[in-house]
Amino acid sequence: MDVKEEEVLLSIRSLQKTYKTGDGVRDINLDIRKGELITLLGPSGCGKTTVLRTIGGFLNPDAGEVKIENQSILHLPPEKRPTAMVFQSYNLWPHMTVYDNLAFGLKLRKTGKQQIREKVEQVLKLVRLPGTEKKYPSQLSGGQQQRVAVARALLLEPKVLLLDEPFSALDAKLRMEMREELREIQAAGNLTMVFVTHDQEEALSISDRIVVMNSGRIEQVASPQDIYDQPSSLFVAQFIGRMNFLNGQASKDGIQVQSLRFGNDKGLAGEVTVAVRPEDMVMQDPSAAGMSGTVRQVMVLGHYAEVSVETPAGMTKVFLPREEARALLTGAEVHLGISRATAYSKTS
Amino acid sequence: MNVDKAGLIKMKGKTERTGISSQTKASITGLLMVIPSFALLVFTVIIPISLAVKESFLDTDRAFSLKNYTYLFTDKAMQSNLMFTLNLTLISTALTLLIGYLLAIYLRFNEGRITDWIRKLYYIPMFVPGVIATYGIINMYGNHGWLMRIGNALGFESFPRFIYDYNGLLLANLWFNIPFTTMLLSSALAGIPNSVIESARDVGAGKISIFAKFIVPMTYKTLLVAATFSFMGMIGAFTAPFLIGPNAPQVLGVAMQQSFSIYHEVGIASAMAVFMFLLCSGMGYFYIRSMIKEEPAAR
Ligand SMILES: Nc1ncnc2c1ncn2[C@@H]1O[C@H](COP(=O)(O)OP(=O)(O)O)[C@@H](O)[C@H]1O
Ligand SMILES: [Mg+2]
């Protein structure tokens, strides 16, 4: 993509892996910078784990190349790769204490006893679990177990840390805390991480860049901001955030939605789908150009309200400040404008 | 969770408060329900064992003596019977565990058509009655059995003896015990999540340390169960030794049957039975102790 060659730590080229069932991933190209937290985001079954496990060495790709610091790692087994993986669950070894779980990898690397003790203590402090050395995994909560799992991976000082939905089994509040902590640790250590999730909110909140995947392919790679503001495909537009989809007509002069008109920079033609975020819909004076509609429902959700408006171009959600929404009644005629929109051809 | 617990405690309190009469009723019902199984235990286990123990301490004049035990441990033939049985049982148990463990590990970590076939077929011996399997062994390995005929046709002259020999009994023991052992161990291995093995590889563990540091510690309890069951089944084996065992030395089960019904030496037969029972209860003791011992990793 737009990553300079000398910055690239992990590079994936034309990766392909097809299972016997025909599922799998294709045409995966990705460059990841050092110190970057990149998220693989997509619905369940789109191939995120497959890509991650190929990087980690648990799967052999059918074709393509995976390089770290410009060296191919494909011939290496997982135990020899400069990667470390945090799994979704059952990460910890149930028959070992937290200390042994953490020390095992270091022992294999012939680290001195004293040094192991120091490192374990340090990393436990980092994940906010000091003093738990003697506990067994079953004596920890799910969140604590995942923290230890992250700690164990960090201890190996991998060049790339791979995380496969590590927080998806935790409840919402804990999940939020854990991802903040992870982001802090990542930023403080300038660590490179590939984070898999199917939760778009999670991806938007922690990533430097997001890779949106759909049925085995990459749909878009961009910063959370760009993914949100400029979804490159209808799939991304549907998958990320709330979105209205209106029927429009494209021609050389622009894109027409009812009486509203936008620029046609993609050069589309014919029937198009116009995607508008609810916060980009605005209420307008009847005198201004716009689209008329009927209010069907007003829901006050905290500091803002979600208003459903039926228009000739389709049912539309509009986010309004609570005060503005107070005046609206079901059945009222309103006039809508659009401050920003993206159009997609209907055929693709 | 908390609410459930609180509710439970409340309920308990209620049943306690409803009065002594219902509590007494409950305990009487409980007693009535225990009686049948207790009676069964008394009449099928406790009384026969007590009788056998008593019998083993009586001489031919029905007077108390240790003669039967002295005979059991000093008579040349008896000594070799004992050694033969112990040797056969221990070797069979060890081989059963070894083969069963290897097979179970192979099945756990491999995929493919051959593996699928083995997975489908390996437990068939469990469904073949012992007598039939033993005749099968005679047909296959006997002096004019299939193995020898095929071997002769191919030009081989000498064969190891199987029938009426230690080898045949070993073979029978393996045939009868490997499937169950493999099944037990397979289910223990299936209980190890893939991510446990994969995370071990991820931190740098090779095949040997994965086996020694993960697979063995996570399955040794089941290994112990399998060892106990195999040992107990084999030490009291009768069908195969009776049909294809050597005439001397004999397996304890066969020797016991002969003392009892051919020589009518009830005391000696009883002493043998008591000795076997002690061996098995020793095994059982270790088994139960290690099962009860609080596993720190377990919840
Ligand atoms: N071992 C496997 N054998 C066959 N199909 C598989 C295997 N693993 C995954 N798949 C299929 O490949 C697709 C991608 O799976 P996966 O990478 O696990 O998706 P995700 O992690 O995005 O949910 C899915 O359709 C899944 O069913
Ligand atoms: Mg997955």
Side-chain angles (χ1 to χ4, degrees):
Chain A
M1 304 277 123
D2 51 351
V3 180
K4 279 191 217 121
E5 203 172 308
E6 62 271 19
E7 291 178 336
V8 174
L9 178 74
L10 172 71
S11 115
I12 301 172
R13 285 280 162 274
S14 315
L15 188 74
Q16 178 174 348
K17 169 76 194 177
T18 314
Y19 296 106
K20 278 196 206 99
T21 52
D23 295 315
V25 298
R26 274 170 301 170
D27 305 324
I28 305 294
N29 288 292
L30 195 59
D31 283 325
I32 299 174
R33 292 188 200 96
K34 181 159 174 31
E36 193 172 31
L37 197 165
I38 207 155
T39 306
L40 304 185
L41 172 66
S44 171
C46 72
K48 308 177 295 286
T49 298
T50 305
V51 173
L52 203 72
R53 288 170 64 82
T54 311
I55 304 173
F58 300 106
L59 279 177
N60 287 322
D62 302 333
E65 182 60 278
V66 180
K67 287 181 175 174
I68 288 183
E69 288 175 342
N70 231 0
Q71 302 274 313
S72 174
I73 55 165
L74 282 184
H75 61 285
L76 297 171
E79 57 266 34
K80 299 249 165 68
R81 292 199 183 190
T83 56
M85 184 124 162
V86 177
F87 298 84
Q88 191 167 358
S89 56
Y90 302 116
N91 271 291
L92 300 183
W93 306 313
H95 59 297
M96 293 187 189
T97 59
V98 167
Y99 183 87
D100 289 332
N101 264 281
L102 294 172
F104 183 74
L106 295 173
K107 278 183 198 154
L108 287 177
R109 294 177 179 196
K110 308 261 181 286
T111 314
K113 247 197 174 151
Q114 186 57 37
Q115 213 182 341
I116 292 182
R117 200 165 301 143
E118 282 164 15
K119 284 190 166 190
V120 167
E121 203 180 314
Q122 250 172 23
V123 83
L124 279 177
K125 227 177 258 164
L126 184 69
V127 297
R128 305 189 186 171
L129 282 174
T132 49
E133 284 94 337
K134 294 216 175 71
K135 293 202 171 168
Y136 280 90
S138 59
Q139 297 166 325
L140 301 177
S141 71
Q144 290 171 327
Q145 289 185 27
Q146 290 305 72
R147 282 202 180 102
V148 175
V150 171
R152 187 177 64 196
L154 290 174
L155 268 183
L156 302 173
E157 295 171 11
K159 296 215 166 96
V160 181
L161 184 57
L162 310 169
L163 304 109
D164 192 357
E165 311 210 14
F167 309 140
S168 66
L170 309 177
D171 64 63
K173 189 160 167 286
L174 190 57
R175 201 155 60 214
M176 209 125 75
E177 277 172 36
M178 296 278 289
R179 66 187 182 222
E180 269 170 35
E181 279 174 36
L182 184 78
R183 182 59 160 162
E184 268 171 40
I185 291 171
Q186 184 268 337
N190 195 31
L191 306 173
T192 313
M193 295 190 183
V194 183
F195 188 98
V196 162
T197 182
H198 65 264
D199 178 351
Q200 41 120 357
E201 193 191 323
E202 189 163 72
L204 289 169
S205 66
I206 64 168
S207 321
D208 291 312
R209 281 190 302 154
I210 297 176
V211 180
V212 183
M213 291 184 64
N214 179 26
S215 44
R217 293 168 185 276
I218 293 181
E219 289 271 337
Q220 186 174 9
V221 183
S223 69
Q225 192 78 43
D226 288 350
I227 292 269
Y228 191 81
D229 289 339
Q230 295 150 28
S232 69
S233 67
L234 197 54
F235 173 82
V236 180
Q238 280 167 337
F239 192 69
I240 306 282
R242 300 285 298 274
M243 192 68 99
N244 291 307
F245 294 100
L246 306 173
N247 294 318
Q249 204 70 37
S251 66
K252 273 187 214 118
D253 312 329
I255 292 167
Q256 192 84 31
V257 178
Q258 300 304 309
S259 55
L260 296 167
R261 184 186 287 269
F262 322 97
N264 184 3
D265 20 323
K266 285 189 205 162
L268 300 172
E271 293 270 315
V272 292
T273 301
V274 177
V276 188
R277 299 254 174 236
E279 64 267 31
D280 294 334
M281 306 279 320
V282 287
M283 293 284 178
Q284 277 177 327
D285 288 337
S287 57
M291 186 165 58
S292 59
T294 315
V295 174
R296 286 283 168 238
Q297 196 179 35
V298 181
M299 266 195 293
V300 178
L301 304 165
H303 64 283
Y304 72 100
E306 185 183 309
V307 183
S308 306
V309 180
E310 195 176 327
T311 73
M315 189 61 112
T316 310
K317 302 264 186 215
V318 184
F319 289 167
L320 289 178
R322 203 171 46 177
E323 283 69 36
E324 268 179 57
R326 204 169 277 160
L328 289 176
L329 294 174
T330 306
E333 292 293 320
V334 291
H335 216 56
L336 293 177
I338 291 172
S339 62
R340 174 168 35 195
T342 325
Y344 303 94
S345 147
K346 279 226 161 143
T347 47
S348 71
Chain B
M1 187 62 203
N2 281 334
V3 177
D4 280 354
K5 249 186 201 164
L8 219 66
I9 290 165
K10 258 188 217 154
M11 264 170 41
K12 258 190 195 163
K14 245 183 214 162
T15 46
E16 266 161 28
R17 248 178 278 129
T18 41
I20 302 164
S21 69
S22 80
Q23 214 173 14
T24 328
K25 227 186 257 170
S27 39
I28 290 173
T29 323
L31 207 64
L32 282 176
M33 284 164 86
V34 170
I35 283 175
S37 53
F38 184 70
L40 200 69
L41 193 70
V42 168
F43 287 108
T44 60
V45 180
I46 297 177
I47 293 180
I49 287 178
S50 315
L51 286 179
V53 172
K54 186 183 135 209
E55 202 68 51
S56 71
F57 285 106
L58 295 178
D59 64 11
T60 38
D61 304 326
R62 318 276 315 151
F64 177 84
S65 90
L66 291 173
K67 231 177 68 186
N68 294 325
Y69 287 97
T70 335
Y71 177 80
L72 190 60
F73 294 112
T74 53
D75 180 70
K76 276 270 143 53
M78 265 305 162
Q79 269 182 339
S80 65
N81 283 349
L82 279 179
M83 291 318 292
F84 182 76
T85 310
L86 281 179
N87 178 319
L88 179 68
T89 305
L90 290 177
I91 300 277
S92 305
T93 305
L95 279 179
T96 300
L97 287 184
L98 182 73
I99 297 171
Y101 206 25
L102 289 178
L103 189 57
I105 287 174
Y106 170 81
L107 291 176
R108 168 69 175 81
F109 294 106
N110 287 279
E111 284 170 22
R113 203 175 295 169
I114 297 175
T115 318
D116 282 345
W117 275 107
I118 298 177
R119 198 170 283 137
K120 278 177 201 153
L121 296 178
Y122 80 82
Y123 51 81
I124 284 183
M126 283 195 293
F127 300 105
V128 179
V131 184
I132 294 172
T134 310
Y135 278 110
I137 290 177
I138 294 175
N139 269 327
M140 188 72 197
Y141 297 95
N143 282 338
H144 299 286
W146 284 101
L147 191 73
M148 200 163 283
R149 275 189 256 173
I150 294 167
N152 283 339
L154 293 175
F156 292 102
E157 291 298 319
S158 68
F159 287 93
R161 256 177 82 90
F162 278 100
I163 303 308
Y164 311 123
D165 192 82
Y166 183 91
N167 292 335
L169 295 185
L170 186 62
L171 191 75
N173 275 343
L174 297 183
W175 162 274
F176 290 123
N177 288 282
I178 284 175
F180 185 62
T181 301
T182 308
M183 203 170 80
L184 271 181
L185 292 170
S186 284
S187 74
L189 287 166
I192 303 180
N194 273 334
S195 60
V196 163
I197 305 290
E198 287 178 347
S199 51
R201 290 188 71 191
D202 203 42
V203 304
K207 286 207 166 70
I208 293 171
S209 47
I210 287 181
F211 178 73
K213 296 276 167 58
F214 296 89
I215 294 178
V216 172
M218 293 177 86
T219 51
Y220 86 94
K221 274 199 167 181
T222 311
L223 266 177
L224 206 73
V225 176
T228 312
F229 279 122
S230 298
F231 181 90
M232 292 201 186
M234 290 176 190
I235 199 147
F238 180 77
T239 311
F242 184 72
L243 292 173
I244 59 169
N247 282 325
Q250 282 172 330
V251 151
L252 277 187
V254 176
M256 205 164 84
Q257 187 267 343
Q258 293 209 334
S259 323
F260 187 81
S261 41
I262 298 179
Y263 307 116
H264 300 292
E265 289 167 335
V266 181
I268 291 172
S270 299
M272 275 192 262
V274 170
F275 176 67
M276 249 201 285
F277 174 71
L278 286 179
L279 275 182
C280 286
S281 18
M283 255 337 244
Y285 170 73
F286 280 114
Y287 167 70
I288 289 169
R289 203 183 64 165
S290 63
M291 287 304 122
I292 288 176
K293 214 194 308 175
E294 191 63 45
E295 176 84 345
R299 253 174 216 277

